[in-house]
Amino acid sequence: MKIKLYFPDESIAAINRMGLRQKSPETIRWTADHPQSNYAMGVLLRGKSGDILDGKSFAAMVHAFGAWIETDSEDTSRRVHNALVTVATGTESSVKVVNNG
């Protein structure tokens, strides 16, 4: 299961100018074994920090910085959509299945 969070190069530059750090791509992990996972829908954990990537935060990244997520399968994509509640946040099209096979 591969999940990567991407930002356009110009957004990385803008984020850096704000004094923040962001890598692109950033590895994301999905797990249902987390206290904040409701009904085994899972949560997404960011990189080494283990901070949760929730739907509200992802929507803000999409709208402000043009972020998107790439996954390696339809099954992984479904898990990401469910964990981020992309239907409610209007970010369905920002999660893409990419076959690098």
Side-chain angles (χ1 to χ4, degrees):
M1 177 183 322
K2 289 185 182 178
I3 307 168
K4 300 278 185 177
L5 173 64
Y6 288 87
F7 292 85
D9 291 339
E10 60 272 10
S11 292
I12 293 294
I15 292 167
N16 290 339
R17 284 192 302 272
M18 294 168 57
L20 303 171
R21 292 177 47 182
Q22 178 62 55
K23 289 179 16 181
S24 183
E26 178 182 347
T27 299
I28 304 293
R29 295 175 290 132
W30 178 90
T31 182
D33 297 326
H34 191 280
Q36 290 186 328
S37 174
N38 294 320
Y39 308 104
M41 295 297 275
V43 295
L44 298 175
L45 303 176
R46 297 184 66 177
K48 294 179 184 177
S49 72
D51 292 338
I52 291 176
L53 176 62
D54 63 13
K56 185 175 180 180
S57 298
F58 179 62
M61 291 174 186
V62 168
H63 300 302
F65 299 111
W68 72 94
I69 290 176
E70 291 183 3
T71 67
D72 62 347
S73 71
E74 291 294 335
D75 186 52
T76 301
S77 180
R78 179 183 46 77
R79 289 178 175 168
V80 170
H81 281 288
N82 289 341
L84 292 177
V85 195
T86 58
V87 172
T89 59
T91 56
E92 303 98 322
S93 64
S94 296
V95 178
K96 307 167 187 178
V97 177
V98 177
N99 250 336
N100 294 332

